[in-house]
């Protein structure tokens, strides 16, 4: 059920992907997520349903793929001059995004589609960018997985399992704790 | 979609619950989880499907309820004499349970059924038992939510989103970190 890999980018394949993604984004603005179907998306995107099934396998994987594209930021995380402040800024933005209706839906799509590890891969990449800058500045830096455990995991856990996200104050505590050695 | 509350325990209601739970546990031993249906469970339990729909609403909520009953231990967490060792023992057992096929399925059931917060409530209760003992011994103790964030959240996150549970060594590090002040 994983999002299929290895599809060449560029050309017809890229155009199909862009128009299907755009159709999903537009439909999500107009109607309830639960009412989305593959034929509906195909019709809006001007492709056949079998094009979507062939490429994404099923609706949950397509929704997760659209979410993943949204999660990949256009730019690198902000450079504030210190690791601590870079992490605070990143953590606040992450909390903000996940603690929203689209954020909660994204997590559920990832779990339902069985391709949730791609989500951790994107986040790990962003954290590695921040950590590489810290190392360049000569700051001591933990590894990205430690930050996933201490900053990302509590946000995801509390939203999925405890129905309330950590407070901003609590995010600051977690960032501080992640930097203690 | 939450598991329905307020059903009186004892009498017919308790007997129905016990026989439906037993039917689910027995069927899960015999066949693939994906092949379970409400009519199948009802037939095995000797009740009508509408009894199940009325009480649990839908299959995911019933499966989550059965998992929840399994999650509630028969006895209090082991008393090893110190908070640190109590937490290490508890964390190892929790990691072990979640990092199994039934544990992974349990997490998915909870998320699908929309009653995942009951899972955090059970865990918080177990941690509070451990913490109350520490306070009685005169040990400094964090609060239960801090332990949920630092010990439970990384296990759940890594299993759901990174496809591998933390190592035992890493669990020890997380327990140590949760006790630092």
């Amino acid at each position: 059920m994983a999002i299929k890999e290895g599809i060449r980018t560029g050309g017809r394949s890229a155009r199909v992907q862009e128009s299907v993604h755009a159709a999903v984004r537009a439909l999500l603005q107009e109607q309830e997520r639960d009412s989305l179907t593959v034929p509906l998306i195909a019709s809006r995107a001007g492709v056949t349903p079998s094009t979507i099934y062939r490429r994404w396998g099923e609706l949950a994987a397509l929704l997760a793929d659209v979410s993943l594209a949204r999660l990949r930021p256009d730019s690198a995380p902000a450079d504030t001059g210190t690791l601590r402040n870079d992490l605070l800024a990143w953590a606040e933005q992450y909390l903000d995004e996940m603690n929203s209706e689209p954020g909660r839906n994204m997590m559920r799509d990832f779990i339902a589609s069985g391709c949730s590890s791609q989500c951790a891969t994107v986040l790990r990449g962003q954290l590695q960018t921040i950590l590489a800058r810290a190392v360049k500045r000569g700051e001591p830096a933990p590894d990205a997985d430690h930050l996933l455990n201490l900053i990302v995991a509590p946000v995801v856990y509390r939203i999925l399992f405890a129905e309330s996200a950590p407070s901003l104050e609590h995010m600051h505590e977690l960032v501080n704790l992640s930097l203690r050695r």
Side-chain angles (χ1 to χ4, degrees), chain A:
Chain A
M1 291 200 294
I3 293 170
K4 292 177 183 173
E5 305 268 9
I7 290 162
R8 82 193 156 83
T9 51
R12 180 164 186 282
S13 177
R15 285 195 306 275
V16 166
Q17 164 156 334
E18 182 38 40
S19 88
V20 171
H21 276 216
V24 170
R25 288 192 302 265
L27 286 165
L28 283 174
Q29 298 270 332
E30 294 164 22
Q31 59 187 73
E32 287 297 315
R33 166 181 216 82
D34 288 350
S35 66
L36 256 57
T37 62
V38 168
L40 189 69
I41 295 164
S43 154
R44 174 69 68 102
V47 303
T48 63
S50 66
T51 299
I52 291 182
Y53 288 121
R54 201 164 45 237
R55 178 145 181 176
W56 283 278
E58 49 165 8
L59 181 59
L62 169 57
L63 293 178
D65 194 29
V66 173
S67 296
L68 194 68
R70 226 179 121 257
L71 191 66
R72 279 197 199 98
D74 300 326
S75 52
D79 186 347
T80 64
T82 68
L83 174 57
R84 188 171 170 282
N85 286 333
D86 280 7
L87 285 179
L88 284 173
W90 186 88
E92 283 186 20
Q93 197 188 338
Y94 179 70
L95 174 64
D96 221 46
E97 281 173 11
M98 289 304 111
N99 194 25
S100 64
E101 196 59 27
R104 287 164 195 262
N105 288 333
M106 187 192 308
M107 288 190 268
R108 291 192 169 83
D109 289 339
F110 278 116
I111 291 167
S113 69
C115 39
S116 47
S117 69
Q118 301 188 29
C119 184
T121 304
V122 170
L123 299 177
R124 194 183 283 114
Q126 295 173 5
L127 291 167
Q128 272 159 349
T129 303
I130 291 176
L131 290 168
R133 283 200 303 242
V135 169
K136 217 166 161 185
R137 285 188 209 108
E139 294 183 275
D143 68 30
D145 276 2
H146 188 65
L147 300 179
L148 281 179
N149 286 343
L150 263 69
I151 301 175
V152 172
V155 173
V156 172
Y157 180 74
R158 298 208 84 92
I159 291 176
L160 285 179
F161 284 90
E163 287 175 358
S164 67
S167 64
L168 257 185
E169 290 74 22
H170 200 86
M171 287 307 293
H172 283 220
E173 264 182 64
L174 291 168
V175 167
N176 287 337
L177 207 53
S178 76
L179 294 177
R180 286 169 67 173
R181 28 187 56 231

